[in-house]
Amino acid sequence: MKSYQKLKTTQAACRLEEEGAAPVPTGHGKLAPWWVGTGLLLCSVLLSTITVWVLRQVSGGWLGPTPPPKCLLVPEIHRFDCYPERRQVVTQELCESRGCCFIPSPLLEDGRQGVPWCFYPPDFPSYSLESLNRTALGMAGLLVRREKAYYPRDIEKLRLEVEFETDTRLHIKITDAANPRYEVPLDVPRVKKRAENPIYSVNFSWDPFGVLLQRKATGTVLLNTTVAPLIFADQFLQISTTLPSRFLYGLGEHCGSLLHSLDWNTLTLWARDAAPEGSFNLYGAHPFYLLMEEDGDAHGVFLLNSNAMEVALQPTPGLTWRTIGGVLDFYIFLGPSPSMVIQQYQQVIGFPAMPPLWGLGFHLCRWGYRSSNDTWQTVRAMRNYQIPQDVQWNDIDYMDGYRDFTLDSQKFASLPSLVEDLHKHGQHYVIILDPGISSTSPNGSYWPFDEGLRRGLFLNTSQGQPLIGKVWPGFTAFADFSNPDTHQWWLENLQHFHAHVPFDGLWIDMNEPSNFVDGSEHGCPPGELDNPPYTPAVLGGSLSTKTVCASAQQKASVHYNLHNLYGLMEAKATASALIQIRGKRPFVISRSTFPGQGRYSGHWLGDNQSKWKDMYYSIPGLLSFSLFGIPLVGADICGLAGSASEELCTRWMQLGAFYPFARNHNNLNDKAQDPTVFSPAARTAMKDVLLTRYSLLPFLYTLFHRAHVHGDTVARPLFFEFPEDVATWDLDRQFLWGRSLLVTPVLEPGVDSVTGYVPRGTWYDFYTGSSVTSSGEVLKMSAPLEHLNLHIREGSILPTQKPGTTTEVTRGNPLHLIVALSSHATAWGDLFWDDGESLDTFEKGDYSYVVFNVTQVGVVGRARVGGPMAPGHLELSCPLLQNVFTSTILHASTEATKVTIGSLSIFGVQTPPSKVLLNGQEKPFSYLDNQVLAVSDLGISLHQGFSLQWL
């Protein structure tokens, strides 16, 4: 039998069983479903033999001799790749030199390599588990390899650490038993006590070594690493596992659908400046996946490793992690709901920061404002049309020669006045910065480079000299943000510029880091950092393509280890600097990201194009970053590159109004695409949807509070709320805000309707309150050009506000509460309220938190039988149900006294009420045929609790 599928109970495992660990099963059906039954096995062997025979006849015998029987025992979908190198034509000789099986297979229909031609035989040597001992937090073991692997400097002895950190979180770490290795310098929680009632069980195979992780409640096998050998060399680490289903998400950053294909698909994680098109590696690296199990449970896996890596997916279903450095440091999160998985993940990487309220307004930018007056003209046009706008941005146009911390004194001389004007109107200003610092200015003329050079704050070559690349200003050095001294230098530069141009937020771009030449002006030196024994499937084929040399020296380590952390480290330095300069919540948007970055910045999805497909791909993009713990995310509305048509830009503005981070941005030399340049009809449609966004700011802001405090998602996939509905598991053309608001955008040209999936239950039209009851079905919805379909989920209460043209104006307007009753006439909602910009308001208690409820309250009424003068009349007591809305203040601050609750709309009131009582006093109301009850002129301060009844 195949040894990588067969698990053997060991003495060590039995010993642990006596101490509370479960024994290792020897015949669990979910471990190898293809192995169950002699008949299935014989069929697999027969099919494989026939396939090989046919190929040999077609090829004229060039395939060589018939493979050994042990190779024919491995069905195609269970073949794990033994020769993943892409720049090498795999021959039988090369394959068998590694001790592997060679059976050629046809290519996929799109020409890609499918089933591996070279794969591991059942008896390929791996590590064995020599010892396993109980520790205070779990177990520790020693793994030993007795035969050399085929990559250089493989490590003979490994240390295994297993920690039962919480009942829903398991930590497994494999590293060199004798020598320290690079590990990611990310702050992670340190537990002091072993979990008492874990919902998982962990077992091990002795020889070959393997981990079996199961969910106790269902017996589902979440990990089974016995399916292929563990390889741990200095620059090649590989571990494979089966998966309990094909519903896999995460593993960013890539451009594609939310649900990954397991059809022999490889995802590479290596930060890269490349337009988001195709499935190659993009700006950030997020080695985390979420998987939906067949029964609706979910779990997640995080590999804490910052080296270049790839994840090979195959239809087993299974995957293989390959990384070229560091250690294998896994966290597994057991949920069981997808929302709980993401919360548990963020407990490790950190919860996201609370953004300033103005950061949730509408942002406008372009590369190609010719001057500050040109920029100012756009701002004035937006005001003239009374179109909401909170933030104006400038791209690299404002700089002198594209150099950081400089201002073009000719074209942008009036920029300080523009910023002053923005501030007077309650608006804000954001500038772009790149990490490449110009190195060509005369000595003494450019302080950022001179001082950075003097302090030794730039990336160095392997020879110890500043590494010089080329970006927008020409030849540049790159700031080393792994050096704490660089943070101080960065702060000083920002302070100097802020004194002249008082910006409010920062856009950090090109921070993969991007480089217009490969490696440096002189290329990269020979050696195994720049030319490792194995290079993952990175775009361009080299680690240095369009970035710096992997051998570059940084304070914390070589760039080989730190490359994927560059954006995170810059974001941390930038957020810290903004706090020190402004004394308020920082607003930072970064292109390159890594786990934990939500604590410091948001993200935009990069240099997209003004195409319909790019608009669609923005939805799985923003949903993926919700999984990654970076909720402040959006794409360039209307697209960066190319000139957007009026129809495309109108539809994209409707979608983009519901990006958590909403910015319209376009490219140099393309047509302007801000709302003011389009026809009155399109401009009105864009204005209306932005006003809708601004009306929903109290709801959106509360969602960000819940993300900051609890790790909730803001924009979320439908399957997060309906995990029992398999039909939602691959939906990525719609999304939810929180649990309550369903967004169904138009993503195709020339249509006036849209089809969307409506999960089971009652949903209310956001604008009218009319209801639709769905059994879980696809519905066709009217969608003329001026309309975006929004639906509120039953049982929800949304705090909204009369919208203004800025968040500052809006937050002073009365609140309007929208109540969407459930079939049981109940509903719930909440509201977080503070000053919108101060640091740590929740942590300091400077906030208000209000909970809204609708319940049915039973009361005793009296009914009289017969007239009052009739003899023998009788009074009866009978229960009556009153519908009661309550506003309960759970925490209060003075900010809540500055705003009132002005009105209330209740959707789904099935019986026309006879009266409405506010705190016992009768109030006028209106009731519409579509079962909407409206009460206005409430005039209640937010800091006051109240009740409202309708009878």
Side-chain angles (χ1 to χ4, degrees):
M1 293 185 68
K2 186 183 177 191
S3 60
Y4 285 109
Q5 290 288 342
K6 178 181 176 183
L7 296 179
K8 294 185 277 187
T9 305
T10 67
Q11 292 180 348
C14 291
R15 182 172 67 252
L16 285 170
E17 179 185 3
E18 296 170 1
E19 299 174 356
V24 181
T26 56
H28 199 291
K30 290 186 178 179
L31 291 184
W34 58 273
W35 199 262
V36 179
T38 303
L40 288 176
L41 175 59
L42 291 175
C43 286
S44 298
V45 175
L46 181 60
L47 287 173
S48 296
T49 304
I50 292 172
T51 300
V52 173
W53 182 85
V54 169
L55 285 171
R56 289 175 187 284
Q57 300 308 307
V58 172
S59 67
W62 65 267
L63 296 183
T66 303
K70 67 179 182 181
C71 297
L72 298 176
L73 290 178
V74 185
E76 289 188 347
I77 65 169
H78 289 267
R79 293 176 182 173
F80 286 82
D81 200 345
C82 179
Y83 217 111
E85 287 85 347
R86 280 163 180 75
R87 289 181 287 182
Q88 180 71 57
V89 176
V90 183
T91 65
Q92 183 169 356
E93 181 181 6
L94 287 173
C95 177
E96 292 180 352
S97 69
R98 292 187 172 182
C100 292
C101 296
F102 183 77
I103 301 179
S105 297
L107 298 177
L108 298 176
E109 290 183 1
D110 59 5
R112 290 185 298 115
Q113 177 72 51
V115 179
W117 289 22
C118 183
F119 57 93
Y120 295 106
D123 57 354
F124 192 90
S126 181
Y127 289 88
S128 62
L129 181 60
E130 293 287 298
S131 64
L132 188 64
N133 300 301
R134 188 182 181 97
T135 64
L137 298 178
M139 310 173 202
L142 178 66
L143 308 179
V144 177
R145 171 182 278 279
R146 307 194 188 285
E147 296 185 40
K148 298 288 290 182
Y150 48 84
Y151 283 108
R153 297 184 304 281
D154 59 332
I155 297 171
E156 180 185 352
K157 295 183 179 181
L158 302 176
R159 176 174 173 80
L160 168 70
E161 297 176 5
V162 181
E163 295 184 347
F164 300 84
E165 294 196 340
T166 74
D167 288 345
T168 55
R169 184 175 83 226
L170 177 68
H171 187 188
I172 300 176
K173 186 175 180 179
I174 302 173
T175 189
D176 190 332
N179 300 295
R181 290 179 60 82
Y182 164 77
E183 297 187 27
V184 182
L186 188 71
D187 292 332
V188 293
R190 304 296 180 186
V191 299
K192 297 181 179 179
K193 184 181 178 182
R194 176 183 174 135
E196 295 181 355
N197 297 294
I199 65 173
Y200 50 83
S201 64
V202 186
N203 303 293
F204 302 95
S205 168
W206 180 272
D207 189 8
F209 165 73
V211 178
L212 174 71
L213 175 67
Q214 291 178 277
R215 188 182 295 279
K216 284 183 178 179
T218 61
T220 301
V221 177
L222 310 183
L223 297 177
N224 172 20
T225 71
T226 66
V227 291
L230 167 66
I231 297 178
F232 201 121
D234 183 40
Q235 290 183 272
F236 186 87
L237 291 71
Q238 176 176 282
I239 191 168
S240 303
T241 181
T242 54
L243 301 170
S245 87
R246 64 177 182 88
F247 294 98
L248 182 82
Y249 316 85
L251 297 174
E253 181 177 9
H254 302 92
C255 180
S257 59
L258 179 64
L259 177 67
H260 287 303
S261 167
L262 270 61
D263 189 15
W264 308 106
N265 183 25
T266 297
L267 302 171
T268 307
L269 282 65
W270 182 248
R272 171 67 151 82
D273 174 4
E277 189 167 354
S279 60
F280 41 72
N281 50 301
L282 293 178
Y283 314 103
H286 293 271
F288 166 81
Y289 70 77
L290 180 143
L291 188 136
M292 291 296 295
E293 301 157 32
E294 297 288 357
D295 56 8
D297 287 340
H299 72 273
V301 176
F302 171 42
L303 173 54
L304 180 52
N305 183 294
S306 62
N307 290 92
M309 74 171 71
E310 62 189 17
V311 185
L313 310 177
Q314 61 188 75
T316 313
L319 64 74
T320 297
W321 298 91
R322 298 188 193 105
T323 183
I324 59 173
V327 302
L328 297 176
D329 193 0
F330 289 100
Y331 288 85
I332 302 97
F333 312 98
L334 273 290
S337 71
S339 294
M340 292 174 69
V341 170
I342 302 306
Q343 290 173 339
Q344 293 156 13
Y345 175 43
Q346 292 177 95
Q347 288 169 1
V348 171
I349 64 171
F351 291 157
M354 185 69 184
L357 178 63
W358 60 263
L360 304 183
F362 178 60
H363 302 245
L364 193 56
C365 182
R366 77 167 302 177
W367 179 25
Y369 289 126
R370 296 181 298 274
S371 66
S372 50
N373 288 337
D374 188 18
T375 311
W376 208 336
Q377 184 178 351
T378 301
V379 174
R380 290 189 182 112
M382 291 286 286
R383 291 176 188 162
N384 288 339
Y385 288 115
Q386 296 185 309
I387 300 173
Q389 181 191 0
D390 258 83
V391 194
Q392 181 61 51
W393 297 43
N394 273 122
D395 208 314
I396 57 177
D397 310 275
Y398 78 90
M399 300 177 183
D400 180 8
Y402 301 142
R403 295 178 302 163
D404 280 354
F405 313 114
T406 66
L407 184 66
D408 185 328
S409 60
Q410 300 298 315
K411 297 177 181 178
F412 281 81
S414 63
L415 185 58
S417 298
L418 166 59
V419 177
E420 182 182 2
D421 179 70
L422 288 168
H423 290 166
K424 285 181 179 178
H425 286 82
Q427 295 172 300
H428 296 80
Y429 182 65
V430 170
I431 58 171
I432 193 171
L433 282 176
D434 294 342
I437 304 298
S438 175
S439 61
T440 58
S441 299
N443 187 33
S445 66
Y446 183 46
W447 191 87
F449 178 73
D450 294 339
E451 189 64 14
L453 186 64
R454 186 185 71 81
R455 299 187 198 180
L457 304 180
F458 298 123
L459 273 64
N460 287 330
T461 67
S462 57
Q463 302 302 311
Q465 300 299 315
L467 183 146
I468 303 299
K470 192 174 184 180
V471 203
W472 293 114
F475 291 113
T476 56
F478 296 87
D480 178 9
F481 291 103
S482 77
N483 186 344
D485 294 338
T486 305
H487 294 215
Q488 178 62 30
W489 164 84
W490 193 245
L491 167 64
E492 292 169 13
N493 279 291
L494 288 169
Q495 286 174 326
H496 295 157
F497 192 73
H498 188 269
H500 187 47
V501 180
F503 54 83
D504 302 291
L506 289 168
W507 171 20
I508 51 176
D509 191 14
M510 307 289 286
N511 55 351
E512 292 74 31
S514 178
N515 190 357
F516 293 167
V517 297
D518 294 348
S520 77
E521 61 176 332
H522 302 301
C524 298
E528 290 192 334
L529 291 177
D530 293 297
N531 302 281
Y534 180 82
T535 300
V538 296
L539 178 63
S542 169
L543 297 183
S544 63
T545 303
K546 301 307 179 188
T547 188
V548 300
C549 298
S551 58
Q553 302 293 310
Q554 296 189 234
K555 179 73 172 182
S557 185
V558 289
H559 192 73
Y560 182 90
N561 294 325
L562 301 179
H563 175 82
N564 282 338
L565 298 173
Y566 195 91
L568 169 63
M569 290 178 169
E570 186 190 12
K572 185 175 182 179
T574 305
S576 174
L578 277 172
I579 290 171
Q580 294 180 71
I581 292 170
R582 300 182 68 247
K584 299 175 181 179
R585 280 178 226 164
F587 178 84
V588 182
I589 296 295
S590 174
R591 191 166 74 178
S592 188
T593 58
F594 190 79
Q597 191 141 347
R599 299 163 62 187
Y600 310 108
S601 84
H603 173 64
W604 97 103
L605 296 172
D607 298 341
N608 60 0
Q609 299 184 59
S610 297
K611 296 181 178 179
W612 290 92
K613 67 177 180 64
D614 287 64
M615 179 167 65
Y616 154 63
Y617 280 131
S618 72
I619 299 178
L622 74 92
L623 295 178
S624 292
F625 274 87
S626 291
L627 308 188
F628 299 150
I630 305 178
L632 187 63
V633 61
D636 282 345
I637 297 171
C638 300
L640 171 75
S643 295
S645 69
E646 182 164 289
E647 181 189 13
L648 171 61
C649 201
T650 303
R651 293 300 195 189
W652 208 328
M653 282 290 294
Q654 291 170 343
L655 168 60
F658 286 85
Y659 293 155
F661 164 57
R663 182 186 71 166
N664 180 313
H665 176 50
N666 76 313
N667 206 8
L668 184 72
N669 299 326
D670 290 321
K671 292 181 180 179
Q673 61 188 32
D674 64 83
T676 69
V677 304
F678 292 104
S679 70
R683 186 171 63 240
T684 299
M686 295 178 187
K687 175 181 176 179
D688 287 348
V689 77
L690 287 176
L691 288 170
T692 299
R693 177 190 179 89
Y694 274 62
S695 74
L696 284 160
L697 283 175
F699 175 57
L700 179 61
Y701 193 62
T702 301
L703 291 176
F704 269 96
H705 163 71
R706 298 187 67 84
H708 172 59
V709 175
H710 305 294
D712 289 355
T713 52
V714 176
R716 66 186 61 161
L718 272 69
F719 74 83
F720 268 49
E721 291 299 320
F722 304 93
E724 74 288 346
D725 184 353
V726 179
T728 66
W729 290 10
D730 63 352
L731 296 181
D732 59 7
R733 300 175 70 88
Q734 300 166 271
F735 58 96
L736 293 160
W737 266 13
R739 62 175 298 274
S740 305
L741 188 65
L742 175 62
V743 183
T744 307
V746 172
L747 302 173
E748 298 172 347
V751 299
D752 59 5
S753 64
V754 62
T755 56
Y757 186 79
V758 180
R760 178 182 296 274
T762 299
W763 296 81
Y764 297 91
D765 184 284
F766 171 81
Y767 310 98
T768 67
S770 297
S771 64
V772 57
T773 299
S774 172
S775 60
E777 54 199 300
V778 176
L779 300 179
K780 185 177 181 180
M781 310 172 197
S782 175
L785 187 60
E786 69 277 5
H787 183 69
L788 171 69
N789 278 278
L790 300 173
H791 289 87
I792 305 175
R793 184 181 180 182
E794 64 171 305
S796 306
I797 300 176
L798 272 58
T800 71
Q801 204 160 20
K802 180 182 177 182
T805 54
T806 65
T807 55
E808 182 177 284
V809 172
T810 301
R811 66 177 277 108
N813 290 338
L815 291 162
H816 173 69
L817 305 179
I818 301 177
V819 180
L821 294 179
S822 72
S823 57
H824 303 292
T826 60
W828 183 92
D830 61 343
L831 172 64
F832 177 83
W833 193 268
D834 62 7
D835 68 7
E837 63 178 4
S838 293
L839 293 164
D840 303 324
T841 56
F842 176 76
E843 291 77 6
K844 295 175 180 176
D846 297 332
Y847 69 94
S848 293
Y849 183 66
V850 187
V851 170
F852 308 111
N853 272 293
V854 172
T855 56
Q856 287 191 322
V857 179
V859 297
V860 175
R862 293 188 178 276
R864 187 183 296 268
V865 178
M869 305 301 295
H873 76 273
L874 181 65
E875 282 193 344
L876 299 176
S877 295
C878 59
L880 300 175
L881 289 178
Q882 294 183 356
N883 300 286
V884 180
F885 173 98
T886 58
S887 173
T888 305
I889 313 300
L890 297 187
H891 195 279
S893 70
T894 56
E895 285 293 326
T897 64
K898 302 175 183 179
V899 65
T900 61
I901 298 176
S903 55
L904 192 78
S905 293
I906 305 173
F907 299 167
V909 178
Q910 297 185 6
T911 304
S914 59
K915 66 174 61 176
V916 172
L917 303 176
L918 175 63
N919 293 332
Q921 301 297 314
E922 194 164 339
K923 290 285 292 184
F925 65 92
S926 65
Y927 182 80
L928 302 178
D929 291 341
N930 61 346
Q931 301 183 339
V932 175
L933 169 64
V935 186
S936 58
D937 299 322
L938 294 178
I940 300 173
S941 176
L942 180 61
H943 80 289
Q944 295 175 325
F946 69 93
S947 66
L948 185 141
Q949 298 172 276
W950 61 98
L951 309 173

